[in-house]
Amino acid sequence: MATTAQLFEEPFDADEYIERLAWRTPGGGSKGGAEAFDPKRLLEEFENHIEELKQLDEKIQRRVEKLEHQCHREAKEFAHKVQDLQRSNQVAFQHFQELDEHISYVATKVCHLGDQLEGVNTPRQRAVEAQRLMTYFNEFLDGDLRSDVFNNPDKIKEAADIIQKLHLIAQELPFDRFADVKAKIASKYHDLERQLIQEFTAAQRRGEIGRMREVAAVLLHFKGYAHCVDVYIKQCQEGAYLRNDVFEDTAVLCQRVNKQVGEVFSSPETVMAKLIQNIFEYKLQAHVKEKLDETRHSDVEQYLKNLYDLYTRTTALATKLTEFNLGSDKHTFLSKLIKSIFSSYLESYIDMERDYLRTRGAMILQRYYDSKNHQKRPIGTGSIQDLKERIRQRTNLPLGPSIDTHGETFLSPELVVNLLQETRHAFERCHRLSDPSDLPKNAFSIFLLLVDHLCVEHIDYALEIGLSAIPSSDAKNANLYFLDVVQQANSIFHLFDKQFNDQLMPLISSSPKLAECLHKKKEVIEQMEVKLDTGIDRTINCMVGQMKHILATEQKKTDFRPEDENNVMIQYTAACSKVCAYVSRQVEHVRKSMDGKNVDTVLTELGVRFHRLIHEHLQQYSYSSMGGMLAICDVAEYRRCAKDFRVPLVLQLFDTLHALCNLLVVAPDNLKQVCSGEQLTNLDRNLLHAFVQLRVDYRSARLGRHFS
């Protein structure tokens, strides 16, 4: 059986079990060994082992039945025990309920007894207190304060409590019968009050927080409590303002006092608010008044700077003070304090700002023109001036004498920076010092002053002078400075536009004044653009006039009808060379003076007029065969010059003109073929015929028949 039990080791595997049994049986091994395989013996061993297993099974079954019987018996016993415990628990719970009811009954009786005792004791205590107060009252009535409480300085707290109560009682007594005693009690009341305040002050000087708290608690019921707070506030400020920075000193003082008032007073937020109010109404207001009154009438610029600085620092201080407990609505409280200091100054701020900007702007302008030794010319207004302006815009005729500015544009970057700097400071002050409801209106008024000084009095005036300085189109060797005016005016207006977006827009973006500002800006731009366009157009006319003058003086009729057809050594004529050089300089000048699409627009107009001039100029001459070749060379040079314009239209016009010039040299029999070419096929036949007529052999070769 022991061997069998060993064969049942976990984990059990039936196949493994049979193999192990066979291996243990002599002669039962499948692979053979010392003894040969004996099946009979193996069978016998299996049968014996089966019998052993049956016996083992019966034994285990009997043991299981025994254990099950034992388990059923113990379960019944446990169930009986549980039932007994439940019955005991129910009995105990009933006893507990009875005990709880009894305890509640006793507690009710005790509370009732306590109320009865308190009802008896309270009147008794009141009676004792009344008797005690009557005893002290009798001492005042007799005029002899014998009690130790009134004569011992260490018992001043008890004396204060007594005298405060006697003072309340005395106020209810009739004056005619108790006038003398009421006066004595009042005298003692004020005397104790004075002593308590002196004690509080001494404790504050010694830094005894505990003693200060005790005295403040006693004084809380006296009328002099407010005076105690005032003394505390006054003494806190002693030695606190030793530096020149009153704002920094105030912040440090409040930070220090804030920690102390919570330990001394029962309502620290009230004391803290009163301290801050005292500082604002006396220290800060006196400081602001001193700083502003000394410059208000003598130096407006410094006054505005001081006002901005003081207001900014005061609001910054108020922001710091909001971290302290000052009551429920501390923001409104601090705003009222700031308003009480600055209201009289803020009411007149914008008027002083406008007056200062108006005076300052005029001074900056005048200082600039004085540095140029220039007497500013009045720009005419009215119907006659308007009529002249309309005529000038329509005809580009120079009305009135031309002015020689000697190359001066009368535009100053330094002046512009000064004006914009002053306006930027004004916008900053306006943002800080204006009431939110008045901010857009005030900012708009500052913007109008900037427009007047910068755009009207400076840029517009420079444009007017520049227009007057543009010579007539037939002037010789004219110096054209208007493009320099255009360049500087554009640069200045970019700065003006940047300030408009950066400084003004945030102040008016959400108000109706935005539309007014945008309209005013658009109006100024349009007025300037009209004058710029007029000046540029007249400048281009002068350029074309100068080209015409060069051609008239340098171009000779013999250039295109040379006497010796076989001895022409030049690539192009001198007139062409000088015109191209002049045009190249002007194109470069335009590129430096303009920006963006304006460059292409102006160069397109100049290129078209340049082409028209050359086209008309070439039609004034007759051409021999060699002269026609020279004309083609000239046009090729003009076309090379036209490439500098970088405008496709201008280059196309000169390509067509170059193709037209080929009609001056082509063989008569090839005229029709050339006229049908890609560049000439869309041109008017009369134009082609006109060019052919310029040939010296037009009549002899009967070239007109090709156009009949």
Side-chain angles (χ1 to χ4, degrees), residues 76 131 134 150 173 194 224 245 269 287 368 418 421 461 487 527 534 545 571 587-588 607 618 625 633 654 670:
K76 288 180 181 179
Q131 183 183 13
M134 289 175 64
F150 293 123
L173 298 176
R194 179 180 53 78
D245 193 343
E269 68 280 359
H287 177 71
Y368 167 71
N418 288 338
Q421 185 80 351
Y461 177 75
Q487 178 188 10
Q527 290 175 356
T534 302
Q571 295 180 347
V587 169
E588 186 64 26
L618 291 175
S625 177
C633 291
F654 277 94
N670 295 332

Tab-separated table of all heavy atoms in Angstrom, residues 76 131 134 150 173 194 224 245 269 287 368 418 421 461 487 527 534 545 571 587-588 607 618 625 633 654 670:
chain	number	residue	atom	x	y	z
A	76	LYS	N	-25.107	20.696	13.035
A	76	LYS	CA	-26.309	20.837	13.856
A	76	LYS	C	-25.981	21.521	15.180
A	76	LYS	O	-26.712	22.399	15.646
A	76	LYS	CB	-26.913	19.464	14.116
A	76	LYS	CG	-27.564	18.849	12.888
A	76	LYS	CD	-28.156	17.473	13.226
A	76	LYS	CE	-28.799	16.830	12.000
A	76	LYS	NZ	-29.357	15.491	12.295
A	131	GLN	N	-24.932	95.307	42.695
A	131	GLN	CA	-24.514	95.733	44.034
A	131	GLN	C	-23.089	96.284	44.011
A	131	GLN	O	-22.772	97.293	44.643
A	131	GLN	CB	-24.616	94.547	45.005
A	131	GLN	CG	-24.258	94.929	46.438
A	131	GLN	CD	-24.303	93.728	47.378
A	131	GLN	OE1	-24.357	92.585	46.936
A	131	GLN	NE2	-24.270	93.997	48.678
A	134	MET	N	-23.127	99.611	42.429
A	134	MET	CA	-23.708	100.597	43.350
A	134	MET	C	-22.690	101.013	44.407
A	134	MET	O	-22.640	102.178	44.815
A	134	MET	CB	-24.962	100.018	44.019
A	134	MET	CG	-26.141	99.876	43.045
A	134	MET	SD	-27.564	99.064	43.797
A	134	MET	CE	-27.988	100.238	45.056
A	150	PHE	N	-9.428	101.521	41.768
A	150	PHE	CA	-9.250	102.855	41.196
A	150	PHE	C	-7.897	103.472	41.537
A	150	PHE	O	-7.530	104.505	40.970
A	150	PHE	CB	-10.359	103.796	41.700
A	150	PHE	CG	-11.724	103.415	41.189
A	150	PHE	CD1	-12.761	103.154	42.082
A	150	PHE	CD2	-11.978	103.312	39.834
A	150	PHE	CE1	-14.016	102.810	41.627
A	150	PHE	CE2	-13.236	102.969	39.389
A	150	PHE	CZ	-14.264	102.709	40.277
A	173	LEU	N	-29.228	108.830	34.222
A	173	LEU	CA	-29.696	109.515	35.435
A	173	LEU	C	-30.090	110.954	35.120
A	173	LEU	O	-29.511	111.585	34.227
A	173	LEU	CB	-28.591	109.495	36.502
A	173	LEU	CG	-28.139	108.102	36.987
A	173	LEU	CD1	-26.979	108.239	37.962
A	173	LEU	CD2	-29.313	107.371	37.636
A	194	ARG	N	-7.626	108.315	28.696
A	194	ARG	CA	-6.339	108.936	28.373
A	194	ARG	C	-5.183	108.038	28.802
A	194	ARG	O	-4.207	107.866	28.068
A	194	ARG	CB	-6.250	110.306	29.060
A	194	ARG	CG	-4.941	111.050	28.810
A	194	ARG	CD	-4.964	112.396	29.526
A	194	ARG	NE	-5.292	112.250	30.933
A	194	ARG	CZ	-4.429	111.834	31.874
A	194	ARG	NH1	-3.192	111.533	31.547
A	194	ARG	NH2	-4.812	111.737	33.139
A	224	GLY	N	-13.029	106.668	22.871
A	224	GLY	CA	-11.703	107.038	22.389
A	224	GLY	C	-11.006	105.959	21.576
A	224	GLY	O	-9.811	106.089	21.271
A	245	ASP	N	11.503	108.480	-2.268
A	245	ASP	CA	10.464	107.753	-2.991
A	245	ASP	C	9.291	107.470	-2.062
A	245	ASP	O	9.272	106.489	-1.327
A	245	ASP	CB	11.042	106.454	-3.545
A	245	ASP	CG	10.120	105.810	-4.561
A	245	ASP	OD1	8.930	106.178	-4.599
A	245	ASP	OD2	10.587	104.939	-5.325
A	269	GLU	N	-9.037	94.928	9.095
A	269	GLU	CA	-9.317	95.508	7.772
A	269	GLU	C	-9.728	96.976	7.875
A	269	GLU	O	-9.373	97.804	7.026
A	269	GLU	CB	-10.397	94.695	7.050
A	269	GLU	CG	-11.786	94.755	7.633
A	269	GLU	CD	-11.982	93.834	8.827
A	269	GLU	OE1	-11.018	93.117	9.188
A	269	GLU	OE2	-13.087	93.825	9.388
A	287	HIS	N	2.404	115.321	-1.735
A	287	HIS	CA	3.502	115.069	-2.679
A	287	HIS	C	3.079	115.415	-4.107
A	287	HIS	O	3.829	116.068	-4.847
A	287	HIS	CB	3.911	113.595	-2.584
A	287	HIS	CG	4.986	113.208	-3.551
A	287	HIS	ND1	6.292	113.627	-3.420
A	287	HIS	CD2	4.939	112.449	-4.685
A	287	HIS	CE1	7.006	113.143	-4.419
A	287	HIS	NE2	6.212	112.427	-5.200
A	368	TYR	N	12.624	124.101	-37.643
A	368	TYR	CA	13.170	123.469	-38.837
A	368	TYR	C	13.297	124.472	-39.978
A	368	TYR	O	14.347	124.570	-40.620
A	368	TYR	CB	12.285	122.294	-39.265
A	368	TYR	CG	12.602	121.794	-40.653
A	368	TYR	CD1	13.780	121.097	-40.912
A	368	TYR	CD2	11.732	122.038	-41.708
A	368	TYR	CE1	14.083	120.650	-42.179
A	368	TYR	CE2	12.029	121.603	-42.985
A	368	TYR	CZ	13.210	120.904	-43.221
A	368	TYR	OH	13.509	120.475	-44.488
A	418	ASN	N	10.522	113.765	-34.290
A	418	ASN	CA	10.177	114.577	-33.116
A	418	ASN	C	8.665	114.709	-32.955
A	418	ASN	O	8.128	114.573	-31.848
A	418	ASN	CB	10.812	115.959	-33.231
A	418	ASN	CG	12.316	115.921	-33.029
A	418	ASN	OD1	12.840	114.997	-32.421
A	418	ASN	ND2	13.028	116.912	-33.567
A	421	GLN	N	7.220	111.357	-31.968
A	421	GLN	CA	7.604	111.045	-30.583
A	421	GLN	C	6.720	111.807	-29.600
A	421	GLN	O	6.238	111.237	-28.610
A	421	GLN	CB	9.080	111.404	-30.372
A	421	GLN	CG	9.624	111.008	-29.007
A	421	GLN	CD	9.985	109.542	-28.928
A	421	GLN	OE1	9.681	108.789	-29.840
A	421	GLN	NE2	10.597	109.129	-27.841
A	461	TYR	N	2.691	120.966	-47.322
A	461	TYR	CA	3.417	122.190	-47.679
A	461	TYR	C	4.615	121.865	-48.562
A	461	TYR	O	4.884	122.555	-49.559
A	461	TYR	CB	3.877	122.905	-46.410
A	461	TYR	CG	4.698	124.153	-46.680
A	461	TYR	CD1	4.087	125.329	-47.119
A	461	TYR	CD2	6.080	124.144	-46.516
A	461	TYR	CE1	4.837	126.470	-47.376
A	461	TYR	CE2	6.836	125.278	-46.764
A	461	TYR	CZ	6.207	126.438	-47.195
A	461	TYR	OH	6.942	127.567	-47.458
A	487	GLN	N	9.806	110.465	-52.609
A	487	GLN	CA	10.459	109.420	-51.818
A	487	GLN	C	10.355	109.698	-50.320
A	487	GLN	O	9.962	108.835	-49.533
A	487	GLN	CB	11.927	109.311	-52.231
A	487	GLN	CG	12.702	108.269	-51.419
A	487	GLN	CD	14.186	108.309	-51.714
A	487	GLN	OE1	14.669	109.222	-52.375
A	487	GLN	NE2	14.918	107.331	-51.234
A	527	GLN	N	-5.876	113.487	-50.673
A	527	GLN	CA	-5.366	114.818	-50.998
A	527	GLN	C	-3.874	114.760	-51.354
A	527	GLN	O	-3.431	115.411	-52.312
A	527	GLN	CB	-5.580	115.757	-49.805
A	527	GLN	CG	-7.040	116.106	-49.550
A	527	GLN	CD	-7.220	116.929	-48.291
A	527	GLN	OE1	-6.261	117.183	-47.555
A	527	GLN	NE2	-8.448	117.342	-48.017
A	534	THR	N	-0.079	114.636	-59.574
A	534	THR	CA	0.113	115.834	-60.403
A	534	THR	C	1.595	116.147	-60.565
A	534	THR	O	2.074	116.410	-61.673
A	534	THR	CB	-0.607	117.040	-59.754
A	534	THR	OG1	-1.991	116.741	-59.616
A	534	THR	CG2	-0.437	118.286	-60.603
A	545	GLY	N	10.354	116.636	-72.025
A	545	GLY	CA	10.801	117.909	-72.604
A	545	GLY	C	12.320	117.969	-72.699
A	545	GLY	O	12.877	118.500	-73.677
A	571	GLN	N	28.011	103.531	-84.432
A	571	GLN	CA	26.994	102.507	-84.195
A	571	GLN	C	25.617	103.124	-84.024
A	571	GLN	O	24.606	102.519	-84.364
A	571	GLN	CB	27.346	101.698	-82.944
A	571	GLN	CG	28.629	100.897	-83.092
A	571	GLN	CD	28.947	100.122	-81.831
A	571	GLN	OE1	28.361	100.355	-80.788
A	571	GLN	NE2	29.894	99.202	-81.950
A	587	VAL	N	15.342	106.659	-64.960
A	587	VAL	CA	14.749	105.380	-64.534
A	587	VAL	C	15.301	104.978	-63.168
A	587	VAL	O	14.563	104.550	-62.274
A	587	VAL	CB	15.027	104.284	-65.583
A	587	VAL	CG1	14.649	102.900	-65.036
A	587	VAL	CG2	14.254	104.562	-66.859
A	588	GLU	N	16.598	105.131	-62.992
A	588	GLU	CA	17.208	104.810	-61.703
A	588	GLU	C	16.669	105.728	-60.606
A	588	GLU	O	16.425	105.296	-59.463
A	588	GLU	CB	18.727	104.946	-61.809
A	588	GLU	CG	19.479	104.489	-60.566
A	588	GLU	CD	19.301	103.012	-60.284
A	588	GLU	OE1	19.033	102.257	-61.241
A	588	GLU	OE2	19.423	102.617	-59.114
A	607	GLY	N	7.745	105.323	-69.954
A	607	GLY	CA	8.124	104.549	-71.130
A	607	GLY	C	7.228	104.806	-72.316
A	607	GLY	O	7.696	104.908	-73.466
A	618	LEU	N	11.345	110.359	-85.135
A	618	LEU	CA	11.828	109.665	-86.333
A	618	LEU	C	11.043	110.050	-87.579
A	618	LEU	O	11.560	109.981	-88.703
A	618	LEU	CB	11.758	108.146	-86.111
A	618	LEU	CG	12.739	107.571	-85.075
A	618	LEU	CD1	12.473	106.089	-84.856
A	618	LEU	CD2	14.182	107.788	-85.511
A	625	SER	N	19.465	104.739	-97.551
A	625	SER	CA	19.643	103.335	-97.174
A	625	SER	C	20.532	103.212	-95.946
A	625	SER	O	20.193	102.531	-94.983
A	625	SER	CB	20.260	102.563	-98.345
A	625	SER	OG	20.492	101.217	-97.954
A	633	CYS	N	19.750	101.216	-85.867
A	633	CYS	CA	20.715	101.108	-84.752
A	633	CYS	C	20.299	101.985	-83.581
A	633	CYS	O	20.425	101.586	-82.406
A	633	CYS	CB	22.105	101.498	-85.250
A	633	CYS	SG	22.823	100.304	-86.401
A	654	PHE	N	8.722	99.343	-78.265
A	654	PHE	CA	9.988	99.576	-78.964
A	654	PHE	C	10.315	98.440	-79.925
A	654	PHE	O	10.991	98.648	-80.946
A	654	PHE	CB	11.119	99.794	-77.958
A	654	PHE	CG	11.193	101.210	-77.462
A	654	PHE	CD1	10.565	101.587	-76.290
A	654	PHE	CD2	11.869	102.180	-78.193
A	654	PHE	CE1	10.612	102.895	-75.837
A	654	PHE	CE2	11.931	103.493	-77.741
A	654	PHE	CZ	11.297	103.856	-76.566
A	670	ASN	N	10.248	93.382	-101.194
A	670	ASN	CA	9.950	92.650	-99.946
A	670	ASN	C	9.067	93.442	-98.987
A	670	ASN	O	8.840	93.002	-97.854
A	670	ASN	CB	11.250	92.287	-99.240
A	670	ASN	CG	12.081	91.313	-100.039
A	670	ASN	OD1	11.547	90.526	-100.821
A	670	ASN	ND2	13.399	91.387	-99.853
